[in-house]
Protein backbone atom coordinates (compact mmCIF):
# COMPACT_ATOMS: atom_id res chain seq x y z
CA UNK A 1 0.00 0.00 0.00
CA UNK A 2 1.46 3.35 -1.00
CA UNK A 3 1.35 6.36 1.30
CA UNK A 4 -1.46 7.91 -0.75
CA UNK A 5 -3.57 4.77 -0.58
CA UNK A 6 -2.92 4.46 3.12
CA UNK A 7 -4.26 7.97 3.55
CA UNK A 8 -7.35 6.97 1.57
CA UNK A 9 -7.85 3.95 3.78
CA UNK A 10 -7.64 6.10 6.89
CA UNK A 11 -10.41 8.27 5.55
CA UNK A 12 -12.85 5.39 5.11
CA UNK A 13 -14.87 6.48 8.12
CA UNK A 14 -15.74 9.68 6.26
CA UNK A 15 -18.38 8.01 4.10
CA UNK A 16 -21.74 9.02 5.54
CA UNK A 17 -23.69 5.88 6.38
CA UNK A 18 -26.68 7.73 7.90
CA UNK A 19 -28.74 7.83 4.67
CA UNK A 20 -28.44 4.03 4.42
CA UNK A 21 -29.39 3.52 8.06
CA UNK A 22 -32.36 5.88 7.79
CA UNK A 23 -33.63 4.15 4.65
CA UNK A 24 -33.38 0.72 6.30
CA UNK A 25 -35.12 1.90 9.48
CA UNK A 26 -38.01 3.38 7.48
CA UNK A 27 -38.45 0.47 5.04
CA UNK A 28 -41.76 -1.45 5.12
CA UNK A 29 -40.55 -4.11 2.66
CA UNK A 30 -37.10 -4.75 1.20
CA UNK A 31 -35.65 -6.46 -1.85
CA UNK A 32 -31.89 -7.11 -1.72
CA UNK A 33 -30.25 -7.66 -5.11
CA UNK A 34 -26.82 -9.19 -5.60
CA UNK A 35 -24.81 -8.95 -8.81
CA UNK A 36 -24.94 -11.53 -11.61
CA UNK A 37 -22.57 -14.47 -11.18
CA UNK A 38 -22.60 -13.75 -7.46
CA UNK A 39 -19.41 -13.99 -5.44
CA UNK A 40 -19.21 -14.41 -1.69
CA UNK A 41 -19.02 -10.65 -1.06
CA UNK A 42 -22.26 -9.78 -2.83
CA UNK A 43 -24.10 -12.83 -1.49
CA UNK A 44 -22.62 -12.69 2.02
CA UNK A 45 -23.46 -8.98 2.22
CA UNK A 46 -26.97 -9.57 0.90
CA UNK A 47 -27.70 -12.44 3.28
CA UNK A 48 -26.27 -10.63 6.33
CA UNK A 49 -28.49 -7.68 5.51
CA UNK A 50 -31.52 -9.95 4.97
CA UNK A 51 -30.98 -11.64 8.35
CA UNK A 52 -30.88 -8.21 10.01
CA UNK A 53 -33.97 -6.94 8.16
CA UNK A 54 -35.92 -10.11 8.96
CA UNK A 55 -35.12 -9.66 12.64
CA UNK A 56 -36.71 -6.22 12.44
CA UNK A 57 -39.93 -7.96 11.34
CA UNK A 58 -39.73 -6.50 7.83
CA UNK A 59 -40.41 -8.77 4.81
CA UNK A 60 -37.26 -9.29 2.72
CA UNK A 61 -36.29 -11.11 -0.46
CA UNK A 62 -32.76 -11.71 -1.82
CA UNK A 63 -32.07 -12.47 -5.48
CA UNK A 64 -29.58 -12.38 -8.34
CA UNK A 65 -30.40 -12.58 -12.05
CA UNK A 66 -28.08 -15.43 -13.06
CA UNK A 67 -27.13 -18.26 -12.87
CA UNK A 68 -30.36 -19.98 -11.93
CA UNK A 69 -28.94 -21.69 -8.84
CA UNK A 70 -26.76 -20.71 -5.90
CA UNK A 71 -23.05 -21.41 -6.42
CA UNK A 72 -22.22 -24.71 -4.69
CA UNK A 73 -19.64 -23.14 -2.41
CA UNK A 74 -22.21 -20.68 -1.00
CA UNK A 75 -25.12 -23.01 -0.28
CA UNK A 76 -24.14 -23.30 3.37
CA UNK A 77 -24.32 -19.56 4.05
CA UNK A 78 -26.88 -18.67 6.73
CA UNK A 79 -29.89 -16.84 5.31
CA UNK A 80 -30.05 -18.69 1.97
CA UNK A 81 -33.73 -19.28 2.77
CA UNK A 82 -34.33 -15.63 1.82
CA UNK A 83 -33.08 -16.23 -1.75
CA UNK A 84 -35.88 -16.37 -4.33
CA UNK A 85 -35.90 -17.05 -8.08
CA UNK A 86 -35.54 -13.94 -10.25
CA UNK A 87 -39.16 -14.31 -11.47
CA UNK A 88 -40.37 -14.28 -7.85
CA UNK A 89 -38.81 -10.90 -7.03
CA UNK A 90 -41.61 -8.44 -6.24
CA UNK A 91 -42.25 -5.89 -9.00
CA UNK A 92 -43.00 -3.22 -6.42
CA UNK A 93 -41.22 -2.78 -3.11
CA UNK A 94 -40.69 -0.04 -0.56
CA UNK A 95 -36.89 -0.22 -0.59
CA UNK A 96 -34.61 -1.98 -3.07
CA UNK A 97 -31.04 -2.45 -1.87
CA UNK A 98 -28.19 -3.48 -4.18
CA UNK A 99 -25.04 -4.90 -2.63
CA UNK A 100 -21.59 -4.95 -4.27
CA UNK A 101 -23.02 -3.82 -7.64
CA UNK A 102 -21.03 -1.11 -9.43
CA UNK A 103 -23.71 -0.37 -12.01
CA UNK A 104 -27.30 -1.15 -12.92
CA UNK A 105 -25.98 -3.55 -15.56
CA UNK A 106 -24.57 -5.77 -12.81
CA UNK A 107 -28.17 -6.58 -11.83
CA UNK A 108 -28.76 -8.27 -15.19
CA UNK A 109 -32.46 -8.68 -16.03
CA UNK A 110 -33.40 -7.75 -12.46
CA UNK A 111 -32.36 -4.16 -13.20
CA UNK A 112 -36.00 -3.40 -14.03
CA UNK A 113 -36.92 -3.90 -10.36
CA UNK A 114 -35.27 -0.54 -9.65
CA UNK A 115 -38.16 1.09 -11.51
CA UNK A 116 -40.80 -0.44 -9.22
CA UNK A 117 -39.08 0.52 -5.98
CA UNK A 118 -40.21 3.53 -3.96
CA UNK A 119 -36.56 4.16 -3.19
CA UNK A 120 -33.31 2.40 -3.95
CA UNK A 121 -30.18 2.13 -1.87
CA UNK A 122 -26.82 1.28 -3.45
CA UNK A 123 -24.32 -0.22 -0.98
CA UNK A 124 -20.94 -0.83 -2.53
CA UNK A 125 -17.17 -0.40 -2.50
CA UNK A 126 -16.42 -0.22 -6.24
CA UNK A 127 -14.69 3.04 -7.14
CA UNK A 128 -16.28 2.91 -10.59
CA UNK A 129 -19.81 2.86 -9.08
CA UNK A 130 -22.19 4.81 -11.31
CA UNK A 131 -24.37 5.93 -8.35
CA UNK A 132 -27.52 4.46 -9.93
CA UNK A 133 -29.63 4.44 -6.76
CA UNK A 134 -31.76 7.17 -5.22
CA UNK A 135 -29.43 6.79 -2.20
CA UNK A 136 -25.82 5.83 -2.80
CA UNK A 137 -23.45 4.75 -0.05
CA UNK A 138 -20.20 3.80 -1.75
CA UNK A 139 -16.93 3.48 0.14
CA UNK A 140 -14.09 2.74 -2.31
CA UNK A 141 -11.64 2.42 0.58
CA UNK A 142 -13.57 -0.49 2.10
CA UNK A 143 -11.93 -3.85 1.42
CA UNK A 144 -15.33 -5.50 0.90
CA UNK A 145 -18.99 -4.59 0.73
CA UNK A 146 -19.36 -6.87 3.76
CA UNK A 147 -17.22 -4.40 5.73
CA UNK A 148 -19.63 -1.59 4.84
CA UNK A 149 -22.57 -3.77 5.88
CA UNK A 150 -20.91 -4.47 9.26
CA UNK A 151 -20.68 -0.73 9.99
CA UNK A 152 -24.31 -0.20 8.94
CA UNK A 153 -25.51 -3.07 11.16
CA UNK A 154 -23.67 -1.48 14.10
CA UNK A 155 -25.47 1.80 13.47
CA UNK A 156 -28.78 -0.07 13.18
CA UNK A 157 -28.12 -1.67 16.56
CA UNK A 158 -28.28 -5.16 15.04
CA UNK A 159 -26.31 -7.75 16.96
CA UNK A 160 -23.70 -9.41 14.75
CA UNK A 161 -24.24 -13.00 15.88
CA UNK A 162 -22.58 -16.09 14.41
CA UNK A 163 -25.02 -16.35 11.46
CA UNK A 164 -24.49 -12.77 10.35
CA UNK A 165 -20.77 -13.06 11.13
CA UNK A 166 -20.52 -16.15 8.90
CA UNK A 167 -22.00 -14.19 5.97
CA UNK A 168 -19.80 -11.15 6.54
CA UNK A 169 -16.66 -13.26 6.97
CA UNK A 170 -17.41 -14.94 3.64
CA UNK A 171 -17.30 -11.55 1.92
CA UNK A 172 -14.27 -10.34 3.86
CA UNK A 173 -12.07 -13.40 3.37
CA UNK A 174 -12.77 -13.62 -0.36
CA UNK A 175 -12.57 -9.92 -1.29
CA UNK A 176 -9.28 -9.55 0.61
CA UNK A 177 -7.87 -12.60 -1.18
CA UNK A 178 -7.50 -14.47 2.11
CA UNK A 179 -6.31 -11.32 3.88
CA UNK A 180 -3.71 -10.32 1.30
CA UNK A 181 -5.34 -7.01 0.32
CA UNK A 182 -5.91 -5.49 3.70
CA UNK A 183 -6.06 -2.10 5.35
CA UNK A 184 -6.05 -0.86 8.94
CA UNK A 185 -9.19 -2.32 10.48
CA UNK A 186 -9.46 -5.42 8.30
CA UNK A 187 -8.12 -7.74 10.95
CA UNK A 188 -10.11 -6.04 13.70
CA UNK A 189 -13.30 -6.87 11.81
CA UNK A 190 -12.09 -10.43 11.17
CA UNK A 191 -11.30 -10.85 14.88
CA UNK A 192 -14.73 -9.60 15.85
CA UNK A 193 -16.47 -11.98 13.43
CA UNK A 194 -14.33 -14.97 14.49
CA UNK A 195 -15.05 -14.24 18.15
CA UNK A 196 -18.72 -15.15 17.53
CA UNK A 197 -17.57 -18.76 17.19
CA UNK A 198 -17.65 -19.18 13.40
CA UNK A 199 -15.21 -21.63 11.80
CA UNK A 200 -13.05 -19.31 9.70
CA UNK A 201 -10.89 -22.11 8.32
CA UNK A 202 -13.92 -24.08 7.13
CA UNK A 203 -15.57 -21.02 5.56
CA UNK A 204 -12.36 -20.12 3.71
CA UNK A 205 -11.77 -23.67 2.52
CA UNK A 206 -15.31 -24.02 1.15
CA UNK A 207 -15.16 -20.70 -0.66
CA UNK A 208 -11.56 -20.58 -1.85
CA UNK A 209 -9.88 -23.96 -1.69
CA UNK A 210 -12.41 -26.46 -2.98
CA UNK A 211 -12.65 -27.47 -6.64
CA UNK A 212 -13.92 -30.53 -8.53
CA UNK A 213 -11.26 -32.74 -10.11
CA UNK A 214 -12.16 -31.36 -13.56
CA UNK A 215 -10.56 -28.08 -12.49
CA UNK A 216 -7.09 -29.63 -12.85
CA UNK A 217 -7.27 -30.61 -16.56
CA UNK A 218 -8.96 -27.25 -17.31
CA UNK A 219 -6.07 -25.41 -15.65
CA UNK A 220 -3.55 -27.53 -17.52
CA UNK A 221 -5.06 -26.59 -20.88
CA UNK A 222 -5.70 -22.92 -20.14
CA UNK A 223 -2.43 -22.17 -18.35
CA UNK A 224 -0.48 -24.17 -20.93
CA UNK A 225 -1.59 -21.71 -23.61
CA UNK A 226 -1.00 -18.51 -21.60
CA UNK A 227 0.89 -15.78 -23.42
CA UNK A 228 3.44 -13.30 -22.05
CA UNK A 229 3.77 -9.96 -23.86
CA UNK A 230 6.80 -8.31 -22.19
CA UNK A 231 6.65 -5.04 -24.17
CA UNK A 232 2.94 -4.34 -23.48
CA UNK A 233 1.95 -1.47 -21.17
CA UNK A 234 5.15 0.47 -21.87
CA UNK A 235 7.33 -2.51 -21.03
CA UNK A 236 5.60 -3.39 -17.79
CA UNK A 237 4.29 -6.58 -19.34
CA UNK A 238 0.97 -8.30 -19.99
CA UNK A 239 0.16 -11.95 -19.39
CA UNK A 240 -3.07 -13.37 -20.73
CA UNK A 241 -4.93 -16.66 -20.97
CA UNK A 242 -8.07 -17.75 -22.77
CA UNK A 243 -10.81 -20.03 -21.45
CA UNK A 244 -12.98 -21.25 -24.33
CA UNK A 245 -16.42 -22.73 -23.82
CA UNK A 246 -15.00 -26.17 -24.63
CA UNK A 247 -12.43 -25.78 -21.82
CA UNK A 248 -15.03 -25.05 -19.18
CA UNK A 249 -17.53 -27.80 -20.01
CA UNK A 250 -18.98 -29.29 -16.84
CA UNK A 251 -17.31 -26.65 -14.67
CA UNK A 252 -19.14 -23.84 -12.97
CA UNK A 253 -18.18 -20.18 -12.83
CA UNK A 254 -16.23 -20.52 -9.58
CA UNK A 255 -13.68 -22.74 -11.30
CA UNK A 256 -13.45 -20.33 -14.21
CA UNK A 257 -13.10 -17.28 -11.95
CA UNK A 258 -10.20 -18.84 -10.07
CA UNK A 259 -7.88 -18.85 -13.10
CA UNK A 260 -7.01 -15.15 -12.94
CA UNK A 261 -5.59 -15.65 -9.44
CA UNK A 262 -2.96 -17.99 -10.87
CA UNK A 263 -2.25 -16.01 -14.04
CA UNK A 264 -1.75 -12.73 -12.14
CA UNK A 265 1.18 -14.17 -10.14
CA UNK A 266 3.44 -13.94 -13.24
CA UNK A 267 6.54 -11.97 -12.19
CA UNK A 268 7.25 -10.60 -15.69
CA UNK A 269 3.84 -8.92 -16.09
CA UNK A 270 2.34 -5.95 -14.27
CA UNK A 271 -1.01 -6.63 -15.94
CA UNK A 272 -2.91 -9.92 -16.18
CA UNK A 273 -6.00 -10.69 -18.26
CA UNK A 274 -8.17 -13.78 -18.58
CA UNK A 275 -10.65 -13.96 -21.46
CA UNK A 276 -13.58 -16.20 -20.52
CA UNK A 277 -15.96 -17.21 -23.28
CA UNK A 278 -19.55 -16.92 -22.04
CA UNK A 279 -22.50 -19.13 -22.98
CA UNK A 280 -22.73 -17.03 -26.15
CA UNK A 281 -19.92 -17.93 -28.60
CA UNK A 282 -17.33 -15.17 -29.07
CA UNK A 283 -18.72 -13.11 -26.22
CA UNK A 284 -15.96 -12.78 -23.65
CA UNK A 285 -16.07 -11.83 -20.02
CA UNK A 286 -12.62 -10.37 -19.34
CA UNK A 287 -10.94 -10.26 -15.92
CA UNK A 288 -8.12 -7.75 -15.41
CA UNK A 289 -5.64 -7.57 -12.54
CA UNK A 290 -2.71 -5.26 -11.92
CA UNK A 291 -0.07 -5.32 -9.24
CA UNK A 292 0.65 -1.68 -8.58
CA UNK A 293 1.13 0.86 -11.36
CA UNK A 294 -1.80 0.26 -13.70
CA UNK A 295 -5.34 1.38 -12.78
CA UNK A 296 -7.42 -1.45 -14.25
CA UNK A 297 -10.68 0.20 -13.13
CA UNK A 298 -9.91 3.05 -15.56
CA UNK A 299 -8.82 0.60 -18.27
CA UNK A 300 -11.96 -1.53 -17.85
CA UNK A 301 -14.18 1.57 -17.84
CA UNK A 302 -12.67 2.62 -21.22
CA UNK A 303 -13.67 -0.83 -22.50
CA UNK A 304 -17.23 -0.59 -21.17
CA UNK A 305 -16.75 -2.31 -17.80
CA UNK A 306 -15.59 -1.28 -14.35
CA UNK A 307 -14.19 -2.41 -11.05
CA UNK A 308 -11.43 -1.64 -8.59
CA UNK A 309 -7.95 -0.16 -9.08
CA UNK A 310 -6.28 -3.57 -9.02
CA UNK A 311 -9.17 -5.83 -10.08
CA UNK A 312 -11.68 -5.04 -12.79
CA UNK A 313 -13.49 -6.51 -15.76
CA UNK A 314 -15.46 -5.88 -18.92
CA UNK A 315 -17.32 -7.73 -21.68
CA UNK A 316 -16.06 -7.97 -25.27
CA UNK A 317 -17.45 -9.48 -28.48
CA UNK A 318 -15.66 -10.97 -31.48
CA UNK A 319 -12.88 -13.36 -32.48
CA UNK A 320 -10.40 -13.79 -29.65
CA UNK A 321 -7.49 -12.30 -31.64
CA UNK A 322 -9.48 -9.08 -32.13
CA UNK A 323 -10.52 -8.96 -28.49
CA UNK A 324 -6.91 -9.34 -27.31
CA UNK A 325 -5.81 -6.69 -29.82
CA UNK A 326 -8.50 -4.33 -28.52
CA UNK A 327 -7.13 -4.66 -24.99
CA UNK A 328 -3.57 -4.07 -26.18
CA UNK A 329 -4.54 -0.91 -28.03
CA UNK A 330 -6.52 0.35 -25.03
CA UNK A 331 -3.29 0.02 -23.06
CA UNK A 332 -1.80 2.68 -25.32
MN1 LIG B 1 -16.89 -6.84 -3.31
Amino acid sequence: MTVAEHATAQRSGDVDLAPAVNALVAAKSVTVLCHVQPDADTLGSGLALALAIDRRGVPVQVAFAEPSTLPTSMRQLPGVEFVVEPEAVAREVDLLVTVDCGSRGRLGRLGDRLDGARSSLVLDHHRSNTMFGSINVVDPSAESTASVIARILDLLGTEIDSDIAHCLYAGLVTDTGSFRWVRPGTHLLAERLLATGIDGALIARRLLDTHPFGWLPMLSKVLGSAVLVPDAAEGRGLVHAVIRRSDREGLNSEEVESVIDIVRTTAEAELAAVFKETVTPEVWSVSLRSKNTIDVAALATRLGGGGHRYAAGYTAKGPIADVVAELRSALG
Side-chain angles (χ1 to χ4, degrees):
M1 192 179 263
T2 66
V3 172
E5 286 148 16
H6 196 82
T8 306
Q10 297 288 349
R11 284 201 305 271
S12 67
D14 289 354
V15 173
D16 186 11
L17 303 175
V21 174
N22 293 339
L24 287 164
V25 166
K28 304 282 189 290
S29 60
V30 181
T31 297
V32 180
L33 295 183
C34 304
H35 62 68
V36 292
Q37 308 298 336
D39 60 17
D41 191 30
T42 191
L43 199 62
S45 295
L47 296 178
L49 196 55
L51 287 163
I53 292 164
D54 177 65
R55 274 182 217 161
R56 301 177 65 82
V58 174
V60 59
Q61 294 184 314
V62 180
F64 48 88
E66 57 186 272
S68 53
T69 55
L70 271 171
T72 314
S73 66
M74 300 179 211
R75 286 184 193 156
Q76 318 247 13
L77 289 177
V80 289
E81 64 272 20
F82 295 109
V83 177
V84 302
E85 304 276 322
E87 296 71 31
V89 176
R91 291 268 158 200
E92 293 184 358
V93 71
D94 195 26
L95 177 67
L96 184 140
V97 187
T98 70
V99 282
D100 202 45
C101 302
S103 65
R104 182 179 171 127
R106 296 288 285 156
L107 298 173
R109 63 199 165 97
L110 285 172
D112 64 357
R113 298 306 197 277
L114 281 165
D115 308 326
R118 253 174 41 84
S119 58
S120 54
L121 168 61
V122 168
L123 299 177
D124 190 27
H125 69 133
H126 292 90
R127 196 156 49 120
S128 61
N129 194 293
T130 59
M131 306 292 177
F132 58 98
S134 56
I135 307 161
N136 300 282
V137 174
V138 178
D139 183 354
S141 72
E143 61 279 82
S144 63
T145 296
S147 313
V148 179
I149 302 292
R151 301 210 309 266
I152 289 173
L153 295 184
D154 283 346
L155 291 171
L156 274 171
T158 303
E159 184 204 346
I160 296 184
D161 62 4
S162 60
D163 279 353
I164 290 179
H166 184 148
C167 293
L168 296 177
Y169 194 84
L172 186 65
V173 72
T174 52
D175 264 32
T176 59
S178 304
F179 300 102
R180 290 187 192 93
W181 309 300
V182 291
R183 49 174 295 273
T186 305
H187 291 87
L188 283 176
L189 176 58
E191 160 59 21
R192 186 176 162 205
L193 300 176
L194 289 166
T196 65
I198 59 170
D199 187 339
L202 176 64
I203 294 168
R205 189 168 67 246
R206 268 189 201 135
L207 293 170
L208 295 158
D209 279 338
T210 303
H211 297 284
F213 178 74
W215 185 61
L216 300 180
M218 183 272 282
L219 281 183
S220 165
K221 183 134 186 279
V222 168
L223 298 179
S225 59
V227 174
L228 177 66
V229 190
D231 62 337
E234 296 160 336
R236 286 172 287 181
L238 163 69
V239 60
H240 60 86
V242 176
I243 307 174
R244 294 173 193 281
R245 285 199 308 155
S246 55
D247 301 326
R248 61 186 292 179
E249 251 167 48
L251 296 174
N252 58 36
S253 63
E254 296 156 282
E255 274 58 67
V256 173
E257 295 308 319
S258 69
V259 172
I260 187 70
D261 285 325
I262 302 167
V263 174
R264 68 172 171 77
T265 61
T266 305
E268 295 87 342
E270 170 67 19
L271 180 67
V274 172
F275 299 87
K276 302 162 288 180
E277 194 170 18
T278 65
V279 289
T280 314
E282 297 201 325
V283 174
W284 307 87
S285 170
V286 187
S287 297
L288 299 174
R289 298 290 185 273
S290 83
K291 288 175 186 150
N292 189 28
T293 60
I294 297 172
D295 181 348
V296 288
L299 180 61
T301 302
R302 284 204 293 282
L303 292 159
H308 306 287
R309 183 178 174 88
Y310 303 120
Y314 65 99
T315 301
K317 293 188 180 72
I320 187 61
D322 296 354
V323 169
V324 172
E326 181 191 36
L327 173 63
R328 291 208 49 189
S329 68
L331 275 171

